[in-house]
Amino acid sequence: MGAESGKEFEAQNPLQPGFIVNGRASSRLADTAPVESFDPRQELGADELRILYHTEAQAKRRKDARPGLWIAVAIYVLFSVSDLMLIPDVAAYTITARFAVGLTALLVLEAQLRRGAATKWLDLTCAAAIIFGYIGWLYPASMGADRESVAYYMVFGTIFMMSANLFFTFSFKVSIITSTIILCILYVVNYFVPASMTYKMVFGTFYVSCFTFTSYVNWKLNEERYNVFLNALEAKIQHKEATERGKALLRLSRTDPLTGLENRRAIDEKLRDYWSDWQKLGNGFAAILIDVDFFKKFNDCYGHQEGDRCLIHVANALSDLIKNYNGSIGRYGGEEFIVLARMDKKDQVAELAEAICRTVENLALTHELRRDGISIVTASVGAAFTRKQTGAKLEKIIHEADRALYLAKASGRNCARLFDPTDPQSSDESENLAALLKIAIAQDLVSLVYQPIQDVASGRFEAVEALMRLKMLDGTLVPPSLFIPVAERTGAILELGRWAIRTVCAELLVDDHVRTVSVNVSPIQLKTPGFAASVATILGETGVTGNRLAFEITEGLEMEMHSDILRCISDLKLLGIRIWLDDFGTGFAGLSWLRLIDFDTVKIDRSFLHDCGTPKGMAMLQDIIALVRNRGHKILVEGVETDEQIALMRTFGIDKIQGFRVGRPVPAANYQAKRGVQKRPFLRSVG
Ligand code: C2E
Ligand code: MG
Ligand code: MG
């Protein structure tokens, strides 16, 4: 086994990446599934292990050859002193021989090392040095005149045998051959030495014992070295396995299992890196949020497997696109992705955001059941990039991208929007509002006003609509058109909504100040698990029955008809609460909502009434009224501001009206006072 077998083994080394064991690739080391520990004795054949051992042993022998021979030669030459003492007459020859053999051996070895000779040649040089060292000294020594001294001095031949077996780390074969040659020479010398039979027998036995003993120790040493090698190999492999497993686990903990993209944890870390580069080095970057439009609908229609496939397609396409921009992409949540890219020019960011949008659109994945006239999968994209004003908070850029995404959705989806700090929807004002909403209830900044709803036929007040009001800490009023979207975006609407229902019950219903109150409820509330249960709790606590409440649902931004919304609506109906459709005709989804939900009343948006000054507008209003009537819902027209409009509503046979002409929104105290004066339930006719 030489350099070739070493090389041959190199390709099979279990610590090399491509190593194959019994047909199994060692890539299993990188697998994430728990792997049993790798025992080289079981996994590798004895031959393979031997080959590996010899390869490793060769390297060690190679390293040991030079110091070994130098020490041996030094000792060999030092024995010149004993030559001078024991065989002074031939010492000149023996010493010359010592120097000649020693120097020759060292020169040959150094030359071999320099030329990179194979280890076996180095071994041969050392073995030859032992044999010739012995012969080189033996021959002139045997010529000595003092035969007795010579006879005893010959015994030192065993030292050469010992050095072959114990001093040098030859392979077992080379050790045995070398020591056998020395033994043979010793026997030849023993035969010819002029000494008694007893001497010859004693030393003959001594030589063979010495040979047997040192050969045995050599064999044991080799075996021990082999075991040490096996244990070390096992330890190395286990260490490598543990490292690989650690790496695999780390990879897993940072990868989204579905799309293979980085997961939120990993991308958050990356975001921190981008951020610190921006803070320290001024390297700007863009954060882009991507949300697959109507994805829940897609899942509902095509099933979760198709949904997964859709996300994988989108992830792959975006990943390919982002490579061109040298950015990073990760899955941020369900159907939301995030892209980070080093760029801080508005045009560049806008171009990338638009490219993302078009990439998803170009996939042309069928999504036929969305209700906005598009029949393929699209995405809404919100982008923000580092600006001087971005401030020192990392979260801010994500908030800004989130707000831009919200605007993209509000603009009808399948479009990209860039965060614009000058836009009131995105401005710091909205940030302030979000903070204000958090403390609004505790600080008494929020209140309700009530606008009457009149029954057209009887002229009586049927109900009132609760409208939320918010004032700032300095008392300035904030219009609902500003704070309701912020409350919906931040989730504050959930608490505000519960507060509104509780307040309506406490202010007007518990003491029968009015018969019915309609409360505006955002689809976000309906989508939140447990909403119907929380309403039931409020009813239970206040002792108000559900049939005194109506919930007005507006087809707003969250127009996607979620199955959770339908479930929630049916639960609310079980509580006796009536469901009204608000602002009908202003969104995309109104008609499908009409089909899916059995609304008690449909409120026709005031814009239709206000447009009916033209024949076209009048026809439109009539068409809408006919449509709603044919579906069997009660009709309420909003925004009635004049007597003419009231008369028109009568002509059209409208059920209920609401508007400034009927009554402006006023605080609860107005209704409580009326009751106090009239001492009768709130039902009276107007004009
Ligand atoms: P909405 O539910 O359609 O409420 C009717 C809006 O029209 C109210 O505006 C009301 O003041 C206004 N209005 C009533 N009569 C007339 C009229 O004759 N002419 C004109 N020009 N306007 C009239 P407001 O109070 O500013 O509320 C705006 C919207 O904010 C509401 O529209 C509703 O969608 C939302 N909102 C108000 N309170 C709440 C609430 O408690 N929860 C939720 N989720 N949304 C609310
Ligand atoms: Mg309303
Ligand atoms: Mg309305």
Side-chain angles (χ1 to χ4, degrees):
M1 94 219 55
E4 293 88 353
S5 36
K7 256 190 200 146
E8 175 196 318
F9 193 82
E10 228 166 66
Q12 298 240 332
N13 191 324
L15 298 171
Q16 300 288 317
F19 177 65
I20 305 233
V21 179
N22 303 335
R24 284 179 296 141
S26 73
S27 61
R28 74 188 180 88
L29 296 179
D31 283 352
T32 46
V35 289
E36 75 286 359
S37 184
F38 184 92
D39 181 354
R41 287 173 194 115
Q42 285 171 16
E43 302 281 345
L44 291 172
D47 289 347
E48 284 168 312
L49 273 176
R50 284 276 163 199
I51 293 169
L52 181 59
Y53 168 65
H54 286 300
T55 312
E56 287 219 343
Q58 267 183 27
K60 189 169 162 23
R61 289 211 312 274
R62 206 180 170 75
K63 220 173 102 211
D64 290 349
R66 177 183 276 151
L69 192 67
W70 274 88
I71 291 170
V73 168
I75 295 170
Y76 177 64
V77 170
L78 270 178
F79 265 94
S80 303
V81 180
S82 54
D83 287 355
L84 285 171
M85 290 189 304
L86 295 170
I87 42 172
D89 54 334
V90 287
Y93 304 106
T94 55
I95 293 169
T96 311
R98 282 181 192 275
F99 275 94
V101 174
L103 282 175
T104 311
L106 286 177
L107 281 174
V108 172
L109 185 84
E110 288 300 330
Q112 282 175 323
L113 284 172
R114 223 162 255 224
R115 294 172 131 221
T119 314
K120 66 175 179 181
W121 295 113
L122 305 184
D123 281 355
L124 276 179
T125 302
C126 295
I130 293 171
I131 295 165
F132 286 106
Y134 181 41
I135 297 173
W137 162 79
L138 183 68
Y139 185 69
S142 60
M143 304 291 174
D146 184 348
R147 308 307 292 167
E148 199 181 338
S149 288
V150 169
Y152 282 103
Y153 201 20
M154 293 299 140
V155 177
F156 275 79
T158 51
I159 290 180
F160 292 89
M161 188 191 287
M162 283 183 220
S163 64
N165 270 343
L166 306 177
F167 181 76
F168 285 96
T169 43
F170 296 146
S171 66
F172 185 64
K173 208 161 77 183
V174 174
S175 298
I176 291 299
I177 293 173
T178 312
S179 53
T180 307
I181 293 172
I182 303 284
L183 179 69
C184 294
I185 299 170
L186 276 167
Y187 265 94
V188 171
V189 172
N190 199 33
Y191 180 76
F192 289 108
V193 81
S196 68
M197 203 53 201
T198 317
Y199 171 97
K200 290 187 182 189
M201 273 179 66
V202 168
F203 282 99
T205 315
F206 171 69
Y207 296 150
V208 81
S209 311
C210 193
F211 171 78
T212 315
F213 185 72
T214 55
S215 299
Y216 175 75
V217 173
N218 180 303
W219 178 61
K220 286 306 274 179
L221 261 177
N222 269 321
E223 209 174 53
E224 206 43 51
R225 281 191 202 113
Y226 184 56
N227 281 334
V228 168
F229 153 79
L230 283 183
N231 291 339
L233 180 67
E234 200 172 335
K236 258 194 249 173
I237 291 172
Q238 277 172 4
H239 176 74
K240 187 176 159 65
E241 272 182 353
T243 317
E244 293 282 348
R245 209 173 314 182
K247 276 191 203 154
L249 279 175
L250 186 72
R251 223 174 11 248
L252 187 74
S253 73
R254 300 170 55 84
T255 308
D256 170 53
L258 178 69
T259 59
L261 297 181
E262 287 187 297
N263 63 14
R264 187 169 185 146
R265 183 185 152 159
I267 207 81
D268 274 348
E269 264 175 37
K270 214 158 246 178
L271 180 63
R272 275 194 285 278
D273 294 344
Y274 273 77
W275 182 260
S276 79
D277 278 3
W278 149 245
Q279 294 284 301
K280 288 182 198 146
L281 312 169
N283 297 338
F285 71 95
I288 304 175
L289 291 175
I290 302 134
D291 194 273
V292 179
D293 296 328
F294 301 103
F295 185 68
K296 285 186 185 66
K297 185 105 240 165
F298 187 95
N299 260 341
D300 290 347
C301 297
Y302 299 103
H304 284 266
Q305 275 190 338
E306 272 307 311
D308 285 354
R309 260 196 285 277
C310 166
L311 289 178
I312 293 168
H313 279 306
V314 171
N316 289 343
L318 292 183
S319 183
D320 288 345
L321 172 76
I322 301 312
K323 273 182 205 141
N324 304 329
Y325 291 84
N326 198 18
S328 313
I329 177 166
R331 188 167 170 209
Y332 215 44
E335 72 267 30
E336 200 168 300
F337 298 92
I338 182 169
V339 164
L340 303 173
R342 291 200 195 281
M343 49 175 71
D344 54 5
K345 299 261 173 328
K346 191 175 174 186
D347 292 349
Q348 288 176 316
V349 181
E351 185 204 305
L352 174 56
E354 194 56 37
I356 290 172
C357 229
R358 299 291 72 91
T359 301
V360 178
E361 193 179 24
N362 291 342
L363 284 173
L365 302 170
T366 310
H367 185 356
E368 277 178 335
L369 288 153
R370 51 193 280 178
R371 298 197 170 90
D372 60 351
I374 302 177
S375 54
I376 53 169
V377 170
T378 59
S380 301
V381 178
F385 56 96
T386 42
R387 295 163 290 116
K388 283 212 175 69
Q389 310 89 302
T390 308
K393 268 177 116 186
L394 160 73
E395 295 78 22
K396 191 149 186 208
I397 192 161
I398 296 297
H399 276 160
E400 292 180 351
D402 202 30
R403 279 195 249 164
L405 175 63
Y406 187 81
L407 286 182
K409 286 190 195 174
S411 313
R413 295 176 157 98
N414 188 25
C415 61
R417 289 286 175 271
L418 224 66
F419 173 77
D420 177 1
T422 57
D423 182 344
Q425 278 272 43
S426 322
S427 67
D428 282 348
E429 191 186 323
S430 141
E431 192 97 304
N432 293 341
L433 267 182
L436 193 70
L437 285 169
K438 278 193 193 149
I439 54 159
I441 296 175
Q443 300 268 353
D444 224 7
L445 300 174
V446 71
S447 60
L448 289 178
V449 289
Y450 300 91
Q451 185 177 30
I453 294 169
Q454 187 186 14
D455 181 272
V456 179
S458 66
R460 285 147 76 99
F461 283 123
E462 273 272 303
V464 292
E465 177 180 6
L467 295 162
M468 202 176 282
R469 295 290 175 259
L470 175 77
K471 59 178 185 209
M472 291 203 265
L473 290 165
D474 64 1
T476 323
L477 272 175
V478 186
S481 55
L482 271 188
F483 76 82
I484 295 289
V486 177
E488 287 180 331
R489 179 167 57 77
T490 58
I493 196 73
L494 300 177
E495 205 196 334
L496 286 170
R498 282 193 297 271
W499 171 87
I501 297 164
R502 192 182 297 275
T503 306
V504 160
C505 291
E507 286 186 340
L508 294 185
L509 295 177
V510 169
D511 293 325
D512 289 332
H513 295 300
V514 290
R515 170 78 194 95
T516 306
V517 182
S518 70
V519 182
N520 292 286
V521 167
S522 153
I524 290 173
Q525 291 169 268
L526 299 173
K527 227 165 63 173
T528 307
F531 175 67
S534 68
V535 174
T537 310
I538 295 170
L539 293 178
E541 282 169 7
T542 53
V544 170
T545 51
N547 61 9
R548 309 276 307 277
L549 279 174
F551 283 174
E552 296 190 13
I553 306 169
T554 312
E555 33 162 343
L557 297 178
E558 288 291 328
M559 57 190 168
E560 198 173 347
M561 183 43 81
H562 206 270
S563 53
D564 294 349
I565 294 185
L566 292 177
R567 210 169 306 125
C568 178
I569 286 176
S570 83
D571 289 348
L572 292 171
K573 281 188 167 180
L574 286 177
L575 293 172
I577 296 167
R578 274 159 285 169
I579 307 295
W580 294 3
L581 179 58
D582 202 358
D583 302 338
F584 179 67
T586 53
F588 290 105
L591 283 177
S592 57
W593 281 42
L594 270 190
R595 196 163 52 83
L596 288 167
I597 304 168
D598 187 19
F599 291 105
D600 175 83
T601 298
V602 172
K603 296 178 79 172
I604 295 174
D605 188 69
R606 65 168 177 265
S607 56
F608 294 101
L609 179 61
H610 293 177
D611 281 355
C612 75
T614 62
K616 236 181 172 177
M618 178 69 87
M620 184 74 173
L621 177 64
Q622 281 175 305
D623 285 347
I624 287 183
I625 291 168
L627 173 91
V628 179
R629 182 166 289 141
N630 287 341
R631 303 269 329 150
H633 309 287
K634 280 185 220 138
I635 303 174
L636 187 158
V637 175
E638 300 180 304
V640 176
E641 292 176 351
T642 61
D643 288 340
E644 290 73 36
Q645 287 170 340
I646 295 184
L648 190 67
M649 294 302 102
R650 266 205 196 100
T651 322
F652 286 158
I654 297 301
D655 302 295
K656 294 174 257 188
I657 49 172
Q658 184 182 1
F660 292 161
R661 179 64 192 90
V662 179
R664 286 190 178 257
V666 287
N670 289 39
Y671 296 96
Q672 292 159 346
K674 274 175 200 151
R675 171 114 202 285
V677 172
Q678 295 166 7
K679 293 276 182 236
R680 64 182 169 85
F682 175 75
L683 279 174
R684 70 175 181 90
S685 352
V686 282

